[in-house]
Amino acid sequence: MDNLIRFENVSFSYGTNKVLENIDLTAGEGEFLAVLGYNGSGKSTLAKLINGILVPTSGKVYVDGMDTSDETKLADIRKTAGMVFQNPDNQIVATIVEEDIAFAPENLGLDPSEIRTRVDDAIRAVGLEKHIKDAPHKLSGGQKQRVAIAGVLAMQPRCIILDEPTAMLDPKGRSLVMGVIERLNREKGITIILITHFMEEAALADRIVILSDGKIAENGTPRQVFSDRERMISLGLEVPPVTELTLDLIGNGLPLEKDIIHPEELTEALIKMKEAAV
Amino acid sequence: MSTLRLDNVGFTYQKGMPDEKTAVSGVSLTFEEGDFVGIIGHTGSGKSTLIQMLNGLLKPTTGSVYIDGDDIWDDKSKLREKRFKVGLVLQYPEYQLFEETVRKDIAFGPKNLGLSDEEIDSRVREAAGFLRIPEKLLDRSPFDLSGGEKRRAAIAGVLAMRPEVLVLDEPTAGLDPRGRRDILDVIKNYHEAEKKTVILVSHSMDDVARYANKVLVMNNGTLLYYDSVGEVFKHALELRETGLNIPTVTGILLTLRERGLDVDTDIYTPAAAAQTITDAFRGISG
Amino acid sequence: MRDITLGQYINGDSVIHRLDPRVRLILTLAYIVILFMFNTLLQMVLALVMILLAYALVKIPVKMLLKSLKPIIPIILFTSVLNMFFIKGDVVFSFWKIAVTKQGLYYAAMMSLRVICLLAGSSLLTYTSTPIQLTSALESLFKPLSKLGLPVNDLAMMMTIALRFIPTLLEETDKIMAAQKSRGANLDTGNFIQRAKALTPILIPLFVSAFRRADELALAMECRCYNGGEGRTRLNALKIRRLDYIAVAVFTVCCVLLFMAGRLAV
């Protein structure tokens, strides 16, 4: 079972309004997938289809082989694929951090001692040990969002879907949350499906899927996807500033590769060129 | 001529209480007419407190705020009138929409100014025009609009009051790239057409670098820098040390310079960065 | 700060803080009941001594207690005056047409002490318990009623969510007020009707936002496998310990002594 998440020819409509059309998509165990697209392109619907909050109008979605339209499997599906939303305030249930993280294990009916272990593990994974007894509304946005991630982690999911988790955060909160997401992917092998509007975040993924008008417009590595600036802009997106700079430099005649997406790559390439020239 | 001047302005929350907290202290500066100022700083640097003092939502605990030479708190009966010279668009302004139609919502501010119906109508049209809100949307319920449209309708509601100074607190937060560009372009067009002061609070150095001509940097409640964009980004290293994000390309140029490539570092747009790097290589190959 | 999540809670580690919240709740109720069973001044004085000792255990300054008594001073005065003037008996002194009797003074003192003890007792509960502890205590105590079809778990969940969101919504109200003031909303002047009308621009956005939050929260809870209260376990299950038994025993002994004091006085 290589593909943890599998969409088979999935369409979804709200009434007569077609939101997604004929989507075929897979995410492998341990993969980091970024989903891009302008508002209204169907990204959030896609996310909600994964853990059975929505069920396809036609086609099938499988999570670890379980069909999301099978209601008897819902609890298992949601345990396997956890979900984090944009607004951290609206997904925290309890008035104390540890009680909030305990919410899902409590719902699963686990033993208090097992819940305690899971809460402690989850809070450590997001680096908020010091705040375990705090009231969530006293935390910063970035901290709240990490509490939300810990709350999902406590289900010990194999996949986490994050729907614009950094949209409401400041740069510091954003980079801390992204750090946690990357770490969960690399160290715990958790499959990540990250919906985002920030190209720099998408550049960290293994693969990028771009939705446009309910269809998959692009599906490739960040390098492949970002090297076509005109295409990105026509899809209502942009390229990371470093790619923009690289493409400008190529336009000025410098011999660079056009698929540069990280600042360090560009500086290394330029320094190498300088040393060769001197 | 309309200027907004701050003289030694400070603000302390819960003053005199055991949990008092100074959010802003000793800020003195002048916003000249026609400037486009970008305000940057961490969360908790005092930015939000500062802008709430600009239109009298908060009363400074020390110092004074002057509009056209008058202290706005001098005569409380005139506070409202003076407050309206500074239009403040708070974060996620779409949460302030409440009327049955977009038209009525935009008219809320002008109505509170006590204007005639014709005047209100013309202001609504003007503001909707600046924000590129099509006529057919004006009679829809604001709650039926898309996220980006709601945001623009809410900003129009402030513009319709024709403020001398327009202050926007992170107007692009939570939008997609196209929505971000749309809002910033609209603001830029408004600024160019009206030549009025615009103050933009943003977390994005790249946006500030692209749109503003002056930058104000707040750090720990005090004013760290207030100068033209080029001058402030000359301090890119210091900015980075205080933990602020500097524009991506400025960061790249700083690294290149450290590694011995002769590039300018007071640059903040990709196009200008490409130019200085290209020039540096021409210099090497002679 | 209006921090409702913690209510009047004073963080501490006293014996009373460490009791099971259910025990704290029941002892408080028992204390209130005995206050109404006692009818001699001596008993009331002893009941006051008892609660003051409890305050000493928690190390809450008397000043704070006095401060919380301030709002009920008019009630105390009113009941005292009524008792003093209208109870017939041996006249102590009189002026104009009014006679103050010995019995009147006695009852006035007793009633005042009763009100003071009542307030001190219930305040002690809120000083030493967070609202969330009280919620779990009530949930646990009412559990038998769920057999009769009362959705005790769900009610407790609602209470928890309400406590969680009150600070968020208060903050939101401040933001909306700031936004509408910036658009010239006049919230501070005018007659009652004008002011009520002026609230529309605040209340509508607030309701819209509250519903949006409720919607998103319901979704998030569903994603975390919430399926009603049934079958849920708890991280911090309430547990009666030795300390709780001791507290109940000490309290009972005190009550018995107080009853006996009542007999002596008669």
Side-chain angles (χ1 to χ4, degrees):
Chain A
M1 193 56 52
D2 262 346
N3 289 327
L4 189 59
I5 310 288
R6 187 154 44 97
F7 279 63
E8 276 181 8
N9 198 25
V10 170
S11 297
F12 184 85
S13 327
Y14 284 108
T16 55
N17 185 13
K18 269 210 159 176
V19 186
L20 289 176
E21 257 187 281
N22 308 336
I23 301 285
D24 282 300
L25 182 67
T26 57
E29 187 93 54
E31 192 174 5
F32 182 169
L33 184 71
V35 181
L36 300 177
Y38 53 84
N39 281 337
S41 60
K43 298 181 311 275
S44 289
T45 307
L46 185 94
K48 286 176 192 159
L49 282 165
I50 298 176
N51 70 349
I53 293 293
L54 297 175
V55 180
T57 320
S58 69
K60 292 279 182 200
V61 178
Y62 296 97
V63 174
D64 194 21
M66 296 177 281
D67 180 348
T68 59
S69 60
D70 180 354
E71 284 201 25
T72 61
K73 297 268 166 63
L74 270 187
D76 283 328
I77 288 171
R78 288 184 183 153
K79 227 163 43 180
T80 311
M83 191 143 165
V84 174
F85 296 88
Q86 184 189 92
N87 190 334
D89 265 326
N90 298 354
Q91 47 191 326
I92 293 177
V93 186
T95 48
I96 298 169
V97 167
E98 66 169 7
E99 299 215 348
D100 186 74
I101 298 172
F103 182 68
E106 288 178 346
N107 291 334
L108 296 172
L110 300 177
D111 263 7
S113 63
E114 170 68 11
I115 300 179
R116 172 50 63 199
T117 317
R118 288 194 177 199
V119 168
D120 290 346
D121 286 349
I123 197 113
R124 217 171 303 124
V126 300
L128 288 175
E129 297 94 320
K130 270 190 223 141
H131 298 280
I132 193 155
K133 296 278 183 195
D134 284 0
H137 72 271
K138 302 253 166 155
L139 303 180
S140 73
Q143 289 170 333
K144 282 187 221 171
Q145 198 60 291
R146 278 144 72 203
V147 171
I149 293 175
V152 166
L153 271 182
M155 296 193 288
Q156 300 188 336
R158 285 160 64 194
C159 171
I160 301 182
I161 307 138
L162 303 107
D163 190 356
E164 296 186 36
T166 60
M168 301 181 78
L169 307 182
D170 62 5
K172 201 170 145 200
R174 200 178 290 158
S175 75
L176 281 170
V177 167
M178 281 310 296
V180 167
I181 294 172
E182 277 195 274
R183 213 155 358 101
L184 293 178
N185 177 250
R186 270 201 322 265
E187 289 170 17
K188 302 204 179 221
I190 297 176
T191 304
I192 299 290
I193 298 180
L194 173 72
I195 295 175
T196 182
H197 285 320
F198 294 102
M199 303 304 133
E200 301 93 314
E201 292 176 3
L204 301 170
D206 299 322
R207 189 154 58 96
I208 292 180
V209 167
I210 301 182
L211 286 181
S212 177
D213 215 11
K215 299 189 195 76
I216 293 181
E218 291 287 338
N219 184 351
T221 63
R223 286 179 205 288
Q224 290 163 348
V225 170
F226 285 138
S227 54
D228 192 346
R229 174 162 42 175
E230 278 65 42
R231 175 81 173 138
M232 289 297 283
I233 288 173
S234 75
L235 290 169
L237 303 169
E238 58 196 4
V239 297
V242 54
T243 311
E244 204 173 330
L245 173 57
T246 308
L247 295 174
D248 282 347
L249 287 171
I250 293 170
N252 286 355
L254 295 195
L256 288 163
E257 296 295 331
K258 65 174 182 168
D259 62 353
I260 287 177
I261 53 172
H262 301 299
E264 312 79 56
E265 285 178 82
L266 179 62
T267 45
E268 284 313 314
L270 287 171
I271 295 298
K272 226 180 250 165
M273 261 173 63
K274 187 204 94 177
E275 280 159 2
V278 172
Chain B
M1 185 64 186
S2 183
T3 57
L4 184 56
R5 185 162 66 84
L6 275 61
D7 183 24
N8 196 28
V9 164
F11 191 85
T12 304
Y13 287 96
Q14 315 279 339
K15 196 162 178 115
M17 306 292 274
D19 53 346
E20 77 166 33
K21 189 176 170 291
T22 298
V24 172
S25 66
V27 173
S28 300
L29 58 91
T30 305
F31 296 106
E32 299 286 353
E33 181 168 21
D35 272 347
F36 194 135
V37 182
I39 300 188
I40 53 183
H42 299 287
T43 305
S45 62
K47 292 175 301 186
S48 294
T49 307
L50 184 75
I51 59 169
Q52 291 195 50
M53 288 191 281
L54 298 182
N55 79 335
L57 277 178
L58 292 178
K59 185 179 180 182
T61 44
T62 62
S64 308
V65 177
Y66 299 91
I67 291 179
D68 295 334
D70 300 331
D71 182 339
I72 61 171
W73 287 95
D74 247 4
D75 181 353
K76 262 200 126 174
S77 64
K78 288 194 181 140
L79 174 65
R80 265 169 67 83
E81 183 189 314
K82 284 176 194 151
R83 164 184 292 169
F84 300 144
K85 289 191 180 180
V86 179
L88 177 58
V89 179
L90 291 165
Q91 266 180 48
Y92 298 98
E94 57 274 25
Y95 294 157
Q96 76 195 23
L97 299 170
F98 72 100
E99 279 284 11
E100 293 155 50
T101 65
V102 175
R103 188 188 303 279
K104 278 192 186 169
D105 207 288
I106 299 176
F108 179 68
K111 217 178 226 166
N112 287 327
L113 295 179
L115 302 172
S116 71
D117 284 353
E118 298 92 73
E119 177 67 16
I120 291 176
D121 191 55
S122 91
R123 290 214 181 176
V124 171
R125 276 165 203 284
E126 178 191 76
F130 275 126
L131 271 301
R132 299 185 196 145
I133 301 168
E135 181 76 29
K136 67 173 171 35
L137 283 190
L138 288 180
D139 292 310
R140 295 253 291 273
S141 159
F143 300 109
D144 291 341
L145 306 183
S146 76
E149 288 166 345
K150 274 186 197 166
R151 178 81 47 101
R152 280 183 286 151
I155 298 175
V158 173
L159 265 198
M161 299 177 77
R162 277 207 196 138
E164 298 294 326
V165 179
L166 178 65
V167 187
L168 304 111
D169 191 357
E170 286 189 61
T172 61
L175 297 178
D176 63 3
R178 181 145 52 187
R180 290 203 287 261
R181 264 199 310 266
D182 281 354
I183 295 272
L184 291 170
D185 284 346
V186 155
I187 295 166
K188 185 172 159 233
N189 288 343
Y190 162 81
H191 177 249
E192 279 167 4
E194 295 291 295
K195 308 261 183 294
K196 284 183 181 158
T197 316
V198 173
I199 299 172
L200 174 76
V201 178
S202 176
H203 281 314
S204 165
M205 284 286 188
D206 288 307
D207 285 348
V208 166
R210 203 165 299 181
Y211 290 92
N213 64 345
K214 274 188 169 176
V215 183
L216 189 166
V217 184
M218 291 291 290
N219 191 33
N220 289 331
T222 59
L223 183 70
L224 188 61
Y225 299 112
Y226 178 49
D227 214 324
S228 68
V229 180
E231 284 300 314
V232 169
F233 287 130
K234 273 187 186 156
H235 301 284
L237 269 180
E238 291 95 319
L239 287 173
R240 199 153 62 174
E241 268 156 32
T242 62
L244 284 164
N245 287 27
I246 54 175
T248 319
V249 297
T250 314
I252 291 172
L253 292 172
L254 279 173
T255 315
L256 288 175
R257 202 184 175 95
E258 276 165 28
R259 306 274 298 265
L261 195 64
D262 185 24
V263 291
D264 294 334
T265 55
D266 54 343
I267 278 172
Y268 34 86
T269 63
Q275 197 53 52
T276 182
I277 295 173
T278 312
D279 290 347
F281 274 102
R282 290 213 178 103
I284 296 171
S285 51
Chain C
M1 264 309 271
R2 305 172 282 183
D3 198 335
I4 295 189
T5 317
L6 293 176
Q8 289 184 295
Y9 180 71
I10 298 170
N11 205 355
D13 191 35
S14 70
V15 174
I16 296 183
H17 277 94
R18 276 182 279 150
L19 293 179
D20 184 295
R22 286 172 297 184
V23 171
R24 266 195 311 257
L25 184 67
I26 289 174
L27 291 187
T28 308
L29 290 176
Y31 179 72
I32 290 171
V33 169
I34 59 162
L35 284 179
F36 284 95
M37 288 167 66
F38 293 165
N39 46 22
T40 69
L41 188 58
L42 177 65
Q43 282 171 316
M44 283 304 161
V45 173
L46 290 174
L48 183 67
V49 171
M50 193 172 148
I51 196 73
L52 287 179
L53 283 175
Y55 269 79
L57 276 180
V58 188
K59 296 203 179 84
I60 292 173
V62 181
K63 223 167 116 190
M64 202 153 158
L65 178 63
L66 291 177
K67 219 170 138 193
S68 67
L69 284 176
K70 223 169 152 190
I72 59 152
I73 287 175
I75 302 177
I76 296 177
L77 284 178
F78 184 70
T79 48
S80 303
V81 167
L82 280 184
N83 279 304
M84 272 195 301
F85 295 158
F86 295 106
I87 289 179
K88 305 236 174 328
D90 312 331
V91 178
V92 182
F93 62 91
S94 65
F95 55 92
W96 191 42
K97 283 180 190 166
I98 296 166
V100 175
T101 64
K102 199 172 142 192
Q103 285 83 351
L105 283 176
Y106 184 83
Y107 275 101
M110 201 179 72
M111 290 298 285
S112 309
L113 278 178
R114 182 177 282 160
V115 175
I116 290 169
C117 288
L118 208 61
L119 192 93
S122 44
S123 298
L124 186 64
L125 179 68
T126 54
Y127 284 146
T128 53
S129 319
T130 60
I132 206 78
Q133 286 176 335
L134 292 177
T135 308
S136 357
L138 285 170
E139 181 185 11
S140 164
L141 291 172
F142 282 118
K143 200 149 222 166
L145 291 182
S146 59
K147 291 212 176 66
L148 300 174
L150 193 76
V152 176
N153 291 318
D154 296 338
L155 288 172
M157 179 56 68
M158 277 155 71
M159 183 72 193
T160 307
I161 290 172
L163 287 169
R164 154 74 188 82
F165 276 90
I166 285 167
T168 309
L169 289 176
L170 283 176
E171 205 175 289
E172 178 127 31
T173 311
D174 283 345
K175 279 188 199 153
I176 295 171
M177 280 174 71
Q180 305 301 32
K181 268 191 192 162
S182 300
R183 292 208 284 165
N186 200 343
L187 305 173
D188 316 316
T189 54
N191 62 32
F192 178 74
I193 292 172
Q194 282 167 327
R195 281 194 195 201
K197 250 181 149 173
L199 283 180
T200 320
I202 312 287
L203 291 181
I204 290 180
L206 196 61
F207 278 124
V208 170
S209 145
F211 279 111
R212 195 193 57 244
R213 285 181 192 281
D215 216 31
E216 290 181 16
L217 184 71
L219 192 66
M221 286 170 69
E222 212 183 317
C223 287
R224 287 163 77 187
C225 301
Y226 182 69
N227 206 354
E230 234 161 282
R232 261 171 73 73
T233 47
R234 301 307 292 271
L235 165 66
N236 294 318
L238 297 177
K239 224 165 146 191
I240 303 282
R241 274 176 283 242
R242 192 156 40 148
L243 185 65
D244 297 296
Y245 290 117
I246 296 172
V248 173
V250 170
F251 180 81
T252 314
V253 170
C254 288
C255 289
V256 171
L257 288 176
L258 258 67
F259 268 108
M260 289 179 15
R263 287 277 159 74
L264 288 179
V266 169

